[in-house]
Amino acid sequence: MPISRPLLVLESLSLSCALVLTLTGCPQTITTEQERAAAAKEAKKIAANDDRVVADSGDLYAVRPNRPASPSRSRHDSEEKAPGSGTPDETNGVCRLFAPEHPNPLCCDVDFGFDVETVQRVCGERMYMGESFHATCGYHFFKPPAGDMTYYRLSYALGDSVEFAAGEHDERMRVQQGAPASFKSTPVPGAPGALWSSHEGINWAFLPGWSRVRQLSWRDSGCPNEKVAEIIKQLAEAPEVPSGLTRAGMIPKMRTAEELALAQQQAARAANMPTPVDGPDPR
């Protein structure tokens, strides 16, 4: 896969321009590798102190305008950590909650079709620590005995097709983030329709198969990319989960089309059940 310089991941073009070209306006032509590198460095410097951007696991993400960022230490007066911060926790009854450092982690509110068992099968021994939402949905794993912590992050991408979403991603990298002019997402082996890219240890994939394009990101240290291609294949083939459907359990698991249909039927029956009316005391 193509390799480029480190970049700031941004989901909003206008926000990207504001961060990279604060003093010079937007758009601006960047024609040399030196200018691209300088623009990337300046973007990351500005973003580090910008409340519209959140940092997670060494990566930076734009805060979506229509949903708040997950709580962070800078937004809390107390240093006290909530359940799931630094240690897996299931007392919420919804998910195995875990964030390495965030003081107030939240369960993910979208089922992206992620399957923990697939990661454990293709990547070798991995302990699933838990999930948390912070601009994107993160799934965290621990690799014994060395103690390496790895993650996979999923979100919806901008654009109606994988090609458009990947193309926008590639353009931001080339024009605004210091990537070489030759940078381009390429097909994922064994996962028809999926495209991926990489730069200095951070990777992205754009996934087909659903009505909305999903974006996966991960680090090289998490699993060899030839193995991650199997994870991408599983995600691409996973049936789309209807919005609002109840989770299958605390541990993310891909459900079959039959299981999703049954869950929808159960949800519909529950929604149509009459509200109990208090009657006379049978005694």
Side-chain angles (χ1 to χ4, degrees):
M1 292 189 292
I3 305 297
S4 79
R5 295 178 59 83
L7 81 103
L8 165 67
V9 181
L10 295 175
E11 295 179 350
S12 164
L13 181 59
S14 60
L15 176 56
S16 300
C17 294
L19 295 174
V20 179
L21 306 171
T22 302
L23 301 178
T24 59
C26 182
Q28 173 177 312
T29 302
I30 299 177
T31 57
T32 69
E33 294 298 319
Q34 291 79 7
E35 288 175 335
R36 290 190 179 96
K41 183 177 181 180
E42 182 66 14
K44 201 163 188 176
K45 178 180 177 181
I46 296 171
N49 298 312
D50 195 304
D51 192 52
R52 296 168 297 172
V53 179
V54 291
D56 188 33
S57 304
D59 210 352
L60 294 171
Y61 300 86
V63 176
R64 297 177 191 173
N66 62 341
R67 67 190 302 180
S70 296
S72 63
R73 186 178 300 277
S74 62
R75 294 176 182 150
H76 286 72
D77 296 330
S78 172
E79 294 293 317
E80 183 178 354
K81 292 184 178 181
S85 180
T87 305
D89 184 85
E90 294 185 351
T91 58
N92 58 82
V94 176
C95 75
R96 179 179 295 175
L97 190 61
F98 176 77
E101 297 179 356
H102 302 316
N104 191 16
L106 305 171
C107 292
C108 297
D109 58 358
V110 177
D111 186 341
F112 289 104
F114 189 80
D115 187 74
V116 167
E117 291 184 359
T118 296
V119 176
Q120 293 172 328
R121 174 176 58 81
V122 304
C123 295
E125 186 179 1
R126 295 288 189 279
M127 181 184 299
Y128 177 61
M129 301 297 289
E131 68 182 60
S132 56
F133 171 78
H134 190 66
T136 61
C137 189
Y139 306 92
H140 301 271
F141 292 82
F142 178 81
K143 180 183 178 182
D148 294 336
M149 192 74 70
T150 61
Y151 68 87
Y152 297 90
R153 305 199 69 87
L154 275 162
S155 64
Y156 286 122
L158 298 177
D160 296 331
S161 69
V162 168
E163 293 75 14
F164 182 89
E168 288 287 294
H169 165 78
D170 297 345
E171 182 71 7
R172 288 195 298 272
M173 292 178 67
R174 291 191 299 264
V175 176
Q176 300 171 16
Q177 309 303 332
S182 60
F183 184 90
K184 184 177 176 62
S185 294
T186 58
V188 180
L195 297 172
W196 63 3
S197 59
S198 176
H199 71 90
E200 291 193 356
I202 302 177
N203 309 268
W204 291 266
F206 296 89
L207 312 173
W210 288 21
S211 57
R212 297 180 65 183
V213 179
R214 292 160 293 160
Q215 177 180 319
L216 174 73
S217 64
W218 70 99
R219 287 188 176 275
D220 283 348
S221 60
C223 190
N225 277 344
E226 62 269 20
K227 299 295 186 180
V228 178
E230 296 185 46
I231 299 173
I232 294 171
K233 181 176 185 293
Q234 175 266 307
L235 285 166
E237 294 177 349
E240 182 167 1
V241 180
S243 60
L245 198 62
T246 303
R247 296 172 61 110
M250 289 193 173
I251 308 301
K253 179 178 178 59
M254 187 197 80
R255 286 177 277 185
T256 66
E258 292 76 14
E259 289 172 330
L260 290 172
L262 178 59
Q264 280 188 288
Q265 293 172 5
Q266 293 172 339
R269 285 197 295 267
N272 292 326
M273 288 181 62
T275 303
V277 177
D278 293 336
D281 191 330
R283 292 176 298 179

